[in-house]
């Protein structure tokens, strides 16, 4: 048996499990990501002829695989949201982005600087890559499939899904900030980089991402639903792979314009949805994207488990463990609670929203990307160990608790959970 044969066998088994497991684990203290993460660890502990998985040495491959998974997930999140974007309608989202994300970055950076004794640039990088949330890794806390009713989403699921859709893009300026800082000061602190970073990496690239996503979304929305040519009106042909075309087009064009492609993909999805909100074609697009996303997520979590089994956490110290746990158990819940003070959410909803800031694939992508831009005054394997542990702990903690917690929250509200 060759390595290639074993890979094909595991890919086939993984694809079948990805189709079956979501229904098996629904509502239970278990999740699909947790199963595949554990599967990767278990399989790679066996004496089998499997390829070595090392995102440190194979940084470019890790960057591109996680990149594809993130942009597909962002398209799926945008297509699933029923609520039209607006200042008041998305008030909870703006709180989580403006207050919660800012506090999380600040306190995580300070913790890394103080507890890990990392230089400012490395501490900022850790805070930046762990800033985005990822409800893809716990389906119970994200919205279900698209419906015609904008009120057919509870506030917790809406808040966590919309937050993840936007903060995956808004973390990019923070990553660029860490890269700019290490380029300007190495292991020290400097303010020389802030002006150029604020103008180019924060304002200009974010603006290009938002504008590009909106324009591409409007154009595609017109093409899907409004054009007079039946051959071009793609909503009548109900081909789900069109969603991948929209995803890659929005991402590629925006990146060519030197904007933030992650931001553009999510805005494109929201703009397509807004063009003809009640059309059944949205379900076709969403279902196809969700299936592809599930496959990518399963593969990546399996590979992450393999990396752990092959010694990915050997550089992890007790200080790194404490840093990850402080982020998950203290910093994110308290930052989320503060950000949601004054909102209309119930007490229980506020705590669930604050606590379920899941870390996942986006963090792995940002780390791989940043390490390809500049070297940092902390060994790459130590950075990967801390981030991998935090994602691992998040998958276990949130994967085990999300189902029962959200199920109880639905009972308290007297509502029926959305169909995944």
């Amino acid at each position: 048996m060759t390595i290639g044969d074993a890979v094909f066998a595991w890919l086939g088994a993984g694809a079948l499990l990805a189709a079956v497991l979501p229904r098996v684990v629904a509502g239970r203290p278990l999740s699909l990501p947790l199963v595949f993460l554990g599967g990767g660890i278990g399989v790679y502990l066996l004496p089998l002829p499997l390829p070595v998985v090392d995102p440190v040495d194979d940084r470019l491959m890790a960057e591109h695989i996680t990149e594809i998974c993130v942009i597909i997930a962002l398209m799926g999140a945008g297509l699933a949201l029923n609520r039209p974007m607006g200042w008041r309608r998305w008030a909870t989202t703006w709180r989580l982005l403006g207050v919660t994300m800012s506090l999380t970055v600040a306190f995580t950076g300070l913790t890394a600087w103080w507890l890990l004794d990392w230089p400012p640039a490395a501490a900022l990088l850790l805070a930046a890559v762990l800033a985005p949330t990822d409800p893809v890794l716990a389906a119970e806390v994200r919205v279900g499939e698209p419906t015609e009713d904008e009120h057919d989403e509870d506030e917790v699921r809406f808040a966590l899904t919309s937050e993840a859709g936007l903060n995956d893009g808004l973390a990019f300026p923070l990553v660029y900030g860490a890269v700019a800082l290490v380029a300007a000061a190495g292991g020290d602190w400097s303010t020389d980089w802030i002006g150029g970073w604020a103008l180019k990496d924060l304002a200009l690239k974010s603006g290009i991402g938002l504008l590009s996503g909106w324009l591409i979304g409007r154009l595609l929305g017109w093409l899907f639903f409004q054009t007079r040519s039946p051959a071009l009106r793609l909503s009548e042909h109900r081909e789900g792979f069109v969603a991948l075309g929209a995803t890659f087009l929005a991402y590629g064009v925006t990146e060519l314009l030197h904007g933030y492609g992650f931001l553009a993909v999510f805005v494109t999805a929201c703009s397509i949805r807004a063009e003809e909100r009640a059309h059944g074609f949205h379900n076709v697009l969403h279902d196809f994207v969700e299936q592809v996303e599930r496959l990518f997520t399963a593969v990546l979590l399996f590979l992450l488990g393999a990396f752990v089994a092959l010694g990915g956490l050997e550089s992890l110290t007790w200080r790194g463990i404490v840093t990850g746990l402080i982020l998950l158990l203290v910093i994110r819940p308290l930052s989320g609670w503060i950000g949601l003070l004054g909102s209309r959410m119930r007490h229980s909803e506020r705590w669930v929203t604050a606590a379920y800031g899941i870390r996942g694939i986006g963090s792995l992508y940002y780390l791989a990307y940043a390490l390809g831009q500049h070297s940092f005054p902390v060994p790459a394997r130590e950075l990967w160990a801390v981030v991998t542990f935090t994602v691992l702990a998040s998958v276990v903690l949130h994967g085990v608790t999300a189902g029962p917690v959200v199920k109880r929250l639905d009972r308290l509200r007297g509502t029926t959970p959305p169909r995944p």
Side-chain angles (χ1 to χ4, degrees), residues 25 34 43 87 102 127 145 158-159 184 264 321-322 325 385:
V25 303
L34 182 56
V43 167
W87 184 252
S102 300
E145 62 183 15
F158 169 78
I321 294 174
V322 173
L325 293 178

Side-chain angles (χ1 to χ4, degrees), residues 42 60 62 64 86 104 113 118 232 264 282 312 329 342 375 381 409:
L60 196 59
H64 290 314
T104 300
W113 174 70
W118 283 2
L232 296 177
H282 293 301
L329 301 177
S375 60
R381 291 199 176 274
L409 193 62

Side-chain angles (χ1 to χ4, degrees), residues 5-22 32 35-36 43 295 298-299 302:
D5 296 331
V7 170
F8 280 121
W10 286 111
L11 284 175
L16 292 173
L17 284 173
V20 173
L21 282 176
L32 182 146
V35 171
F36 278 97
V43 167
L295 283 173
V299 170
F302 183 88

Side-chain angles (χ1 to χ4, degrees), residues 155-181:
E155 196 64 26
V156 173
R157 290 183 174 92
F158 169 78
L160 289 170
T161 304
S162 57
E163 178 199 12
L166 286 169
N167 72 9
D168 260 322
L170 294 176
F172 239 127
L174 301 170
V175 173
Y176 274 116
V179 172
L181 175 57

Side-chain angles (χ1 to χ4, degrees), residues 54-73 172 176 244 247-248 251-252 255 262 292 296-297 299-300 303 361-373 384:
D54 189 348
V56 182
D57 289 339
D58 299 324
R59 185 203 62 79
L60 196 59
M61 181 177 292
E63 177 186 336
H64 290 314
I65 294 177
T66 52
E67 180 180 30
I68 294 172
C69 185
V70 171
I71 61 176
I72 290 174
F172 239 127
Y176 274 116
L244 288 184
T247 303
F248 296 142
Y251 186 75
E255 289 291 322
F262 285 3
V292 177
F296 265 93
T297 302
V299 170
L300 282 171
L303 293 177
I361 306 302
S363 297
L364 304 178
Y365 165 75
Y366 278 121
L367 180 59
Y369 178 85
L371 292 177
Q373 301 301 304
W384 269 102

